[in-house]
Amino acid sequence: MSDDLKKGLEGVLVAESELSSIDGDAGRLIYRGYTIEDLARGASYEEVLYLLWHGHLPTEDELEPFTDALLAEREVDDDVLATMERLADADEQPMAALRTAVSMFSASEPEDDADPGDLEATLRKGRRITAKIPTALAAFERYRLGEEPVDPNPDLGLAANFLYMLTGEEPDEIAAETFDQALILHADHGLNASTFTSMVIGSTMADIYSAVTGGISALSGPLHGGANQDVMEVLIEIDESDLDHREWVEQATEEGRRIPGFGHRVYNVKDPRAKILQERSKELAENGEDKWYNYTTTIEQYLSEEKGLTEKGIAPNVDFYSGSVYYQLGIPIDMYTPIFAMSRAGGWIAHVLEYQEDNRLIRPRARYTGPQDQEFVPLEDR
């Protein structure tokens, strides 16, 4: 057994997976062999869920019942809605509200007595979680605005339906397609912190509600989720500044400020997901306000070319463009990370199911660095 210390488990292989693969040097991401570009531009989020959960892209005859099953599970219990209202009134953080909602979903689980090793039952539970998360999140936001929740629309796909429940208006085609793409791009990304957390929980054979709740908790940390919110806050700061956006980024870097959305633990080149969202941001700009797209492209050009960050392996990641895309879709800034969770839940579920097929309890060890041979002193003599 090796005594080499790998802080953060960096470079440590802990599992084999057929779900996703990342080439950080080439800027390549695939889900079960399909490039992220092909999936984002040619498939729906529901098709990608099917791919992750069942191992192949669905035919039309397979997709219809799969989508219908998701549609049938969108409603959430009145107790969940009441809790979302109380949390909104208490000014709770959206990620904390989502964590609570997913925990509550299990109270109405019709297969709560299923054997932990019944992976088909686990998949059905995961489907219910995935279908209900958008409803609970949208309801929470509506309550924060002092408005009543909007019931799910059975005629809309998962992405378009979420935007509809959030605003009360059906999104146009560009908005719906853009958000659907964003969900696809975030669906899976190897053994990141939240996915590994879900796998660790799943390895104990805890239920899938516990695993997804754990994933949400890990994603809520600022070192994992939240960078796209930081990016958008910087863009708003630029917009409210008296400086031209080019001047702003020059001054900020001279002052030593770090611009969020650059650099990635895995990618040494531009994140392929960022390239796709940059295209969507441009399309949204052409049909609306273009300043956010102009800000991001100017920052990228300055930092990449003039500051040479790309040569140092520091390039835009998916968060750099997702923040402004979500903002252009009218999504509140503090809902960005919960949306990340809404998408990534599909990946968490897939990884738990895959790992449990040949399960072994995940149990690493730590190198002890504490004192040795301490002399015990009874309480009365200390």
Side-chain angles (χ1 to χ4, degrees), residues 65-367:
F66 179 78
T67 302
D68 288 344
L70 283 168
L71 286 171
E73 304 287 1
R74 285 179 176 176
E75 299 285 348
V76 300
D77 281 1
D78 289 341
D79 288 345
V80 175
L81 293 177
T83 299
M84 292 299 99
E85 185 173 18
R86 287 195 295 272
L87 293 175
D89 290 342
D91 200 27
E92 180 61 282
Q93 293 297 313
M95 280 295 279
L98 177 59
R99 182 188 63 214
T100 300
V102 173
S103 292
M104 290 189 70
F105 291 165
S106 66
S108 59
E109 171 53 57
E111 298 183 86
D112 61 343
D113 59 348
D115 187 286
D118 186 346
L119 299 188
E120 289 299 321
T122 297
L123 178 54
R124 290 190 293 270
K125 293 176 183 180
R127 184 185 68 211
R128 295 180 187 111
I129 293 170
T130 303
K132 294 178 189 302
I133 283 177
T135 307
L137 266 182
F140 175 76
E141 175 59 20
R142 299 285 293 182
Y143 284 131
R144 288 203 300 179
L145 297 173
E147 300 174 353
E148 287 298 306
V150 175
D151 291 334
N153 185 335
D155 296 325
L156 298 176
L158 190 147
N161 179 62
F162 175 74
L163 295 177
Y164 167 71
M165 291 189 296
L166 198 68
T167 64
E169 298 180 2
E170 288 192 26
D172 62 33
E173 185 176 353
I174 292 176
E177 288 181 356
T178 298
F179 191 60
D180 191 72
Q181 271 194 341
L183 295 181
I184 291 170
L185 298 177
H186 288 90
D188 195 42
H189 206 243
L191 293 193
N192 51 81
S194 56
T195 299
F196 186 61
T197 298
S198 296
M199 277 181 52
V200 171
I201 295 171
S203 80
T204 72
M205 300 308 291
D207 67 22
I208 195 67
Y209 291 95
S210 299
V212 173
T213 301
I216 293 168
S217 300
L219 186 59
S220 68
L223 294 185
H224 186 14
N228 51 8
Q229 179 175 337
D230 296 337
V231 170
M232 196 61 226
E233 289 171 351
V234 163
L235 297 181
I236 291 173
E237 183 180 343
I238 293 173
D239 192 53
E240 295 175 348
S241 169
D242 293 331
L243 298 174
D244 173 85
H245 53 284
R246 168 77 179 210
E247 296 173 337
W248 187 95
V249 69
E250 289 177 354
Q251 180 174 306
T253 54
E254 288 173 2
E255 294 172 352
R257 285 188 61 174
R258 179 183 176 278
I259 306 300
F262 270 73
H264 195 278
R265 184 73 171 263
V266 178
Y267 293 111
N268 300 313
V269 296
K270 188 170 181 177
D271 189 329
R273 301 168 298 172
K275 295 178 181 178
I276 296 169
L277 285 177
Q278 184 178 14
E279 295 172 3
R280 301 306 299 199
S281 178
K282 182 178 181 181
E283 187 172 356
L284 289 170
E286 290 170 349
N287 290 274
E289 201 168 32
D290 64 359
K291 62 182 178 181
W292 308 113
Y293 175 74
N294 292 337
Y295 294 166
T296 50
T297 51
T298 296
I299 292 172
E300 177 181 354
Q301 182 181 26
Y302 178 76
L303 294 180
S304 298
E305 298 177 7
E306 299 196 26
K307 285 295 185 179
L309 292 190
T310 301
E311 296 176 359
K312 301 174 184 177
I314 303 172
N317 58 45
V318 66
D319 296 310
F320 187 68
Y321 280 99
S322 64
S324 59
V325 165
Y326 291 158
Y327 196 82
Q328 289 170 281
L329 294 175
I331 298 172
I333 294 175
D334 63 356
M335 291 288 281
Y336 293 177
T337 306
I339 286 170
F340 188 163
M342 181 170 76
S343 169
R344 185 59 59 83
W348 295 334
I349 292 161
H351 278 275
V352 170
L353 288 165
E354 182 182 54
Y355 191 81
Q356 287 182 342
E357 288 179 358
D358 185 23
N359 192 70
R360 181 171 174 80
L361 178 67
I362 296 174
R363 205 300 190 186
R365 65 192 184 100
R367 178 186 296 159

